Amino acid sequence: GIEDCLAAGAMRATCVMTNMPECGAAVSLRKKFPQSSLGVHWNLTQGRPVLDPARVPSLVDGQGRFSASLRRQWLARRINAAELRAELRAQYGRFRELAGAADFWNTHQDVHVYPGLFQLFVEIGNALKIPAMRSHERVTLPLHGSASAYHLRHPSYWAKGYVIHRWSQRARADGVRLPDGRLYLPGYEAGSYIPEALFDRLDGRNVPGVIELVIHPSRELDPSLGGLTESRLREHKLFGDTRLVGKLEDKGIRVVGF
């Protein structure tokens, strides 16, 4: 499903979890879609580490698998930061072996969007000379009403967005490239919108120049993909349509990668 959307040109970036068994597909992605960006999707919450579990005991359970509660463990100061850094380096080392240098980085389940972890991941991304990261700064476009009204109704959402904005500013000051914002769509079901119509709604607002839109397309339903099921099919249909790039260009929107 991802390859269909890359081929259609409406999606220009994807990422790879190198601790997963199908990570070898990164080789073919580079060859098939040289115009698209390929990133490392650091994973510390699912599957097994790239390193021997004995080398990263604070990251794994008794079966040598990652714990799903990394943030809670981090908050309780049970995570060894040196082990975390070593595993991130190992995952990126495997990525380089498969596909060369990454164009950007992100984390599985956005685990880095957390106090202390955000800064650690930015630090290691810079140390590994990965030039860009995914954005979590919020460009909010609710189904009903304005972004300001949504923020008033959801002050914790606004507060978290403000904190992420400050963290992102510091990352940019450290030389990291990020999109100017990421589109958040409260009230919309994933894939239930018309992409070009979303940008019509943004006209006349103080909108950043580069907006990231995250999708999870799939050709078929698969229980292993978690809670996102029907939405994956809808996104595949929308972004696998070869006509979409032209429709967006007619709106003055250029689809780019990292």
Side-chain angles (χ1 to χ4, degrees):
I2 289 171
E3 291 196 14
D4 290 341
C5 295
L6 290 171
M11 188 172 77
R12 289 294 300 272
T14 192
C15 41
V16 177
M17 292 186 282
T18 58
N19 72 315
M20 290 296 187
E22 298 300 324
C23 66
V27 177
S28 62
L29 287 171
R30 276 286 197 222
K31 293 177 180 178
K32 292 178 182 177
F33 309 106
Q35 78 283 5
S36 295
S37 302
L38 192 62
V40 60
H41 199 64
W42 275 318
N43 182 3
L44 297 170
T45 54
Q46 188 175 356
R48 302 179 68 85
V50 168
L51 293 175
D52 186 324
R55 292 184 56 187
V56 287
S58 73
L59 303 182
V60 298
D61 60 19
Q63 286 71 50
R65 303 182 68 84
F66 285 130
S67 167
S69 60
L70 177 75
R71 287 175 171 175
R72 286 202 307 273
Q73 299 289 341
W74 174 262
L75 186 64
R77 299 188 177 183
R78 295 173 182 162
I79 297 294
N80 183 309
E83 293 174 14
L84 192 153
R85 288 186 175 93
E87 175 62 18
L88 295 182
R89 286 181 175 275
Q91 290 187 19
Y92 186 54
R94 181 172 289 179
F95 183 98
R96 287 191 65 97
E97 291 172 4
L98 293 169
D103 299 307
F104 66 99
W105 64 263
N106 191 48
T107 63
H108 189 45
Q109 299 173 336
D110 297 332
V111 73
H112 71 285
V113 186
Y114 200 73
L117 288 173
F118 190 98
Q119 292 75 17
L120 186 152
F121 275 85
V122 168
E123 172 198 321
I124 195 72
N126 278 343
L128 294 171
K129 302 188 185 317
I130 305 173
M133 63 180 281
R134 286 261 309 275
S135 177
H136 292 273
E137 289 190 81
R138 295 172 173 181
V139 178
T140 303
L141 190 66
L143 178 60
H144 301 293
S146 68
S148 297
Y150 186 84
H151 290 155
L152 287 172
R153 293 194 305 271
H154 302 85
S156 61
Y157 174 89
W158 175 88
K160 183 177 179 181
Y162 177 76
V163 171
I164 293 171
H165 171 67
R166 295 295 300 271
W167 291 348
S168 300
Q169 284 183 318
R170 287 198 287 269
R172 289 189 180 94
D174 290 338
V176 184
R177 290 191 294 108
L178 298 84
D180 296 311
R182 174 175 164 183
L183 200 55
Y184 284 79
L185 304 169
Y188 285 93
E189 289 188 47
S192 64
Y193 48 78
I194 300 172
E196 59 270 30
L198 290 179
F199 293 97
D200 276 343
R201 290 192 60 200
L202 290 168
D203 284 350
R205 291 162 48 105
N206 182 21
V207 175
V210 182
I211 299 177
E212 185 176 357
L213 178 63
V214 178
I215 62 172
H216 302 83
S218 179
R219 284 180 173 177
E220 58 189 35
L221 297 180
D222 184 341
S224 71
L225 296 176
L228 296 172
T229 52
E230 295 284 349
S231 64
R232 292 178 182 270
L233 303 182
R234 293 194 298 266
E235 289 182 330
H236 176 258
K237 182 177 180 180
L238 279 176
F239 292 90
D241 186 343
T242 56
R243 298 168 295 179
L244 179 56
V245 170
K247 292 176 181 178
L248 293 173
E249 288 177 347
D250 288 344
K251 302 285 185 182
I253 299 159
R254 187 160 59 99
V255 183
V256 299
F258 283 82

